Amino acid sequence: MFVAAEIIHGAKGHAGLAARAPWIVAFVFGLLHGFGFAGALKEVGLPEQDIPLALLFFNVGVEAGQLLFIAAVVVVLSLITRFIARDSRSRRGPWHTETLIRTPVAYVIGSVAAFWLVERVLAF
């Protein structure tokens, strides 16, 4: 939900925390996810001496997956942008990339995140 809010605020011209201090956002998110995954590994019964290696490979796998996902998104957005640019003479017309893609995607991200938040809170 944080990312969705940052995207929407950025589109309105307001610099959010991620724009002002991205290292803080990355640090906090990484720390929270690392603790969560380490706790899950401990619950599964993984010996304590194996947790650092498991976390390392988990992080490498996550980064590789993110890079593949970003590459796929870049290709799709490039194709969409080329299609839009070919069909519209003005880049700021009703088919502008930000209007067409960024804002609706931010709302989808926020909606999915809100659903997961409610689902996890109700699971307790």
Side-chain angles (χ1 to χ4, degrees):
M1 288 176 14
F2 173 80
V3 171
E6 288 285 304
I7 293 169
I8 292 167
H9 288 287
K12 293 178 180 178
H14 306 293
L17 181 61
R20 292 189 317 266
W23 67 272
I24 292 174
V25 175
F27 177 78
V28 170
F29 274 83
L31 189 64
L32 289 173
H33 283 95
F35 280 139
F37 189 67
L41 289 176
K42 208 170 199 177
E43 284 181 17
V44 170
L46 191 67
E48 204 164 305
Q49 67 272 11
D50 293 336
I51 290 178
L53 186 62
L55 282 174
L56 173 70
F57 281 109
F58 171 76
N59 286 329
V60 168
V62 166
E63 295 301 325
Q66 288 176 345
L67 289 173
L68 288 171
F69 178 77
I70 289 170
V73 168
V74 166
V75 167
V76 169
L77 291 179
S78 295
L79 292 172
I80 290 172
T81 303
R82 285 186 187 161
F83 175 74
I84 291 169
R86 187 181 66 195
D87 286 349
S88 175
R89 295 193 188 274
S90 171
R91 302 282 297 165
R92 291 283 174 190
W95 293 100
H96 185 286
T97 305
E98 185 169 323
T99 306
L100 182 67
I101 297 170
R102 189 175 296 164
T103 303
V105 167
Y107 279 103
V108 169
I109 291 169
S111 298
V112 170
F115 173 78
W116 283 342
L117 176 69
V118 170
E119 182 181 60
R120 289 173 184 174
V121 166
L122 294 177
F124 280 113

mmCIF file of all heavy atoms in Angstrom, residues 19 25 33 40 57 72-73 93 109-111 118 121:
data_model
loop_
_atom_site.group_PDB
_atom_site.id
_atom_site.type_symbol
_atom_site.label_atom_id
_atom_site.label_comp_id
_atom_site.label_asym_id
_atom_site.label_seq_id
_atom_site.Cartn_x
_atom_site.Cartn_y
_atom_site.Cartn_z
ATOM 1 N N ALA A 19 11.000 9.027 -2.599
ATOM 2 C CA ALA A 19 11.725 9.953 -3.475
ATOM 3 C C ALA A 19 12.758 10.754 -2.697
ATOM 4 O O ALA A 19 13.847 11.025 -3.199
ATOM 5 C CB ALA A 19 10.748 10.896 -4.166
ATOM 6 N N VAL A 25 13.645 3.653 2.980
ATOM 7 C CA VAL A 25 12.553 2.752 2.593
ATOM 8 C C VAL A 25 13.108 1.350 2.300
ATOM 9 O O VAL A 25 12.575 0.350 2.788
ATOM 10 C CB VAL A 25 11.794 3.315 1.374
ATOM 11 C CG1 VAL A 25 10.748 2.337 0.886
ATOM 12 C CG2 VAL A 25 11.157 4.651 1.722
ATOM 13 N N HIS A 33 11.329 -7.813 5.994
ATOM 14 C CA HIS A 33 11.199 -9.067 5.263
ATOM 15 C C HIS A 33 12.245 -10.083 5.715
ATOM 16 O O HIS A 33 11.956 -11.279 5.803
ATOM 17 C CB HIS A 33 11.304 -8.823 3.757
ATOM 18 C CG HIS A 33 10.062 -8.261 3.175
ATOM 19 N ND1 HIS A 33 9.882 -6.918 3.005
ATOM 20 C CD2 HIS A 33 8.930 -8.851 2.745
ATOM 21 C CE1 HIS A 33 8.680 -6.710 2.497
ATOM 22 N NE2 HIS A 33 8.077 -7.857 2.332
ATOM 23 N N ALA A 40 10.332 -17.508 9.867
ATOM 24 C CA ALA A 40 9.658 -18.637 9.206
ATOM 25 C C ALA A 40 10.609 -19.822 9.081
ATOM 26 O O ALA A 40 10.206 -20.980 9.274
ATOM 27 C CB ALA A 40 9.152 -18.217 7.833
ATOM 28 N N PHE A 57 20.624 -17.230 -0.095
ATOM 29 C CA PHE A 57 20.068 -17.780 -1.334
ATOM 30 C C PHE A 57 18.642 -17.298 -1.585
ATOM 31 O O PHE A 57 18.246 -17.102 -2.733
ATOM 32 C CB PHE A 57 20.146 -19.307 -1.336
ATOM 33 C CG PHE A 57 21.515 -19.812 -1.670
ATOM 34 C CD1 PHE A 57 22.315 -20.400 -0.700
ATOM 35 C CD2 PHE A 57 22.022 -19.672 -2.956
ATOM 36 C CE1 PHE A 57 23.590 -20.844 -1.008
ATOM 37 C CE2 PHE A 57 23.285 -20.117 -3.277
ATOM 38 C CZ PHE A 57 24.080 -20.703 -2.303
ATOM 39 N N ALA A 72 10.463 -7.930 -18.009
ATOM 40 C CA ALA A 72 9.208 -8.213 -18.703
ATOM 41 C C ALA A 72 8.307 -6.980 -18.735
ATOM 42 O O ALA A 72 7.699 -6.665 -19.765
ATOM 43 C CB ALA A 72 8.491 -9.381 -18.034
ATOM 44 N N VAL A 73 8.216 -6.268 -17.624
ATOM 45 C CA VAL A 73 7.382 -5.061 -17.558
ATOM 46 C C VAL A 73 7.916 -3.991 -18.505
ATOM 47 O O VAL A 73 7.141 -3.324 -19.206
ATOM 48 C CB VAL A 73 7.293 -4.530 -16.108
ATOM 49 C CG1 VAL A 73 6.686 -3.139 -16.058
ATOM 50 C CG2 VAL A 73 6.488 -5.488 -15.248
ATOM 51 N N GLY A 93 -1.820 13.856 -24.655
ATOM 52 C CA GLY A 93 -3.234 13.702 -24.929
ATOM 53 C C GLY A 93 -3.878 12.714 -23.971
ATOM 54 O O GLY A 93 -3.287 12.302 -22.982
ATOM 55 N N ILE A 109 -2.195 -2.107 -7.423
ATOM 56 C CA ILE A 109 -1.223 -2.496 -6.405
ATOM 57 C C ILE A 109 -1.778 -2.215 -5.011
ATOM 58 O O ILE A 109 -1.712 -3.064 -4.113
ATOM 59 C CB ILE A 109 0.105 -1.741 -6.611
ATOM 60 C CG1 ILE A 109 0.808 -2.221 -7.868
ATOM 61 C CG2 ILE A 109 1.023 -1.888 -5.400
ATOM 62 C CD1 ILE A 109 1.986 -1.356 -8.293
ATOM 63 N N GLY A 110 -2.330 -1.032 -4.813
ATOM 64 C CA GLY A 110 -2.892 -0.672 -3.514
ATOM 65 C C GLY A 110 -4.068 -1.545 -3.118
ATOM 66 O O GLY A 110 -4.199 -1.937 -1.956
ATOM 67 N N SER A 111 -4.918 -1.885 -4.074
ATOM 68 C CA SER A 111 -6.077 -2.736 -3.783
ATOM 69 C C SER A 111 -5.651 -4.142 -3.376
ATOM 70 O O SER A 111 -6.176 -4.705 -2.411
ATOM 71 C CB SER A 111 -6.995 -2.808 -5.000
ATOM 72 O OG SER A 111 -7.480 -1.534 -5.317
ATOM 73 N N VAL A 118 -5.941 -7.001 5.016
ATOM 74 C CA VAL A 118 -7.173 -7.399 5.700
ATOM 75 C C VAL A 118 -7.195 -8.913 5.905
ATOM 76 O O VAL A 118 -7.537 -9.405 6.989
ATOM 77 C CB VAL A 118 -8.418 -6.923 4.909
ATOM 78 C CG1 VAL A 118 -9.687 -7.535 5.463
ATOM 79 C CG2 VAL A 118 -8.496 -5.406 4.922
ATOM 80 N N VAL A 121 -4.756 -9.820 8.730
ATOM 81 C CA VAL A 121 -5.216 -9.356 10.049
ATOM 82 C C VAL A 121 -6.354 -10.251 10.537
ATOM 83 O O VAL A 121 -6.397 -10.631 11.722
ATOM 84 C CB VAL A 121 -5.663 -7.872 9.995
ATOM 85 C CG1 VAL A 121 -6.435 -7.481 11.221
ATOM 86 C CG2 VAL A 121 -4.443 -6.973 9.803
#
